[in-house]
Amino acid sequence: MSKLLGIIDAISRWSGMICRWGVLVLVVVLCYEVTARYVFDNPTIWAHEMSMMLGVFIVTIGWSYVHLRKGHVRVDVFYARMSPRTRAWVDIGCFLVFFLPLMLVLIYASVGMAWEAYIFDEVLMASFWYPPALPIRLVVVIGLSTFLLQGLADFTRDVYRVVKGASLD
């Protein structure tokens, strides 16, 4: 079990590394657009939509990494004062009531949107570039799936802590 959790954590760390490159590409795209627009008076038709897609890429692929690093917003006023076992109980409850149902609904919806983008050859229409929608729709599916995997790994650790009273790591 510990090896599987390590693999999931490695996937989440890897997604964080990918996001770093996505941020670099986003900076290059925006610098290119600003230079083309204001220095050469020749704006691009693709930079705005590309920067939006890169933003979606960075956020969705980064969810699992942020969850691994415990970086999501949490009300620490009470949580920080709890024992590790009580925190595990709270995390289990929040996972079952909020996280798992939300992730399942979002993954179901995003798979449907990706499927429709594939079936209908959907294009994005925020500019006159008209890039295909399928790649960014698949990025959302992948990002949500890795986020769910990391959530399941943390849920497993919490259940182990409650049952055994010790950390699984």
Side-chain angles (χ1 to χ4, degrees), residues 70-82 86-87 90-91 94 98:
K70 310 256 185 273
H72 287 112
V73 176
R74 166 182 318 200
V75 180
D76 281 340
V77 175
F78 302 111
Y79 189 82
R81 298 174 198 258
M82 296 176 185
T86 305
R87 276 188 243 159
V90 170
D91 289 342
C94 289
F98 300 113

Side-chain angles (χ1 to χ4, degrees):
M1 180 59 75
S2 184
K3 185 171 182 161
L4 178 62
L5 296 178
I7 291 170
I8 293 171
D9 290 348
I11 291 169
S12 295
R13 277 192 296 279
W14 185 73
S15 70
M17 299 300 169
I18 291 172
C19 285
R20 290 179 183 178
W21 290 105
V23 170
L24 179 64
V25 172
L26 177 61
V27 168
V28 168
V29 165
L30 291 176
C31 287
Y32 180 85
E33 171 61 17
V34 167
T35 303
R37 178 179 301 265
Y38 295 109
V39 174
F40 299 110
D41 196 28
N42 189 17
T44 65
I45 62 169
W46 55 268
H48 172 70
E49 200 149 24
M50 177 61 83
S51 64
M52 289 188 334
M53 288 189 290
L54 285 167
V56 168
F57 173 84
I58 292 163
V59 169
T60 57
I61 297 299
W63 280 329
S64 62
Y65 178 75
V66 173
H67 196 68
L68 171 69
R69 305 288 298 181
K70 310 256 185 273
H72 287 112
V73 176
R74 166 182 318 200
V75 180
D76 281 340
V77 175
F78 302 111
Y79 189 82
R81 298 174 198 258
M82 296 176 185
S83 69
R85 199 168 191 174
T86 305
R87 276 188 243 159
W89 272 111
V90 170
D91 289 342
I92 289 168
C94 289
F95 177 87
L96 293 173
V97 173
F98 300 113
F99 185 83
L100 184 61
L102 178 63
M103 286 298 104
L104 294 177
V105 167
L106 289 176
I107 289 170
Y108 178 79
S110 65
V111 166
M113 292 175 73
W115 180 250
E116 287 178 6
Y118 171 73
I119 293 296
F120 298 117
D121 286 328
E122 180 186 4
V123 295
L124 301 176
M125 300 190 336
S127 68
F128 293 110
W129 178 34
Y130 302 124
L134 182 60
I136 199 64
R137 302 271 193 247
L138 289 176
V139 163
V140 172
V141 172
I142 292 166
L144 287 168
S145 299
T146 57
F147 190 20
L148 176 61
L149 270 178
Q150 188 60 52
L152 287 168
D154 289 347
F155 175 75
T156 303
R157 289 183 179 104
D158 290 331
V159 168
Y160 189 87
R161 180 175 297 280
V162 166
V163 172
K164 300 286 188 178
S167 176
L168 185 58
D169 295 328

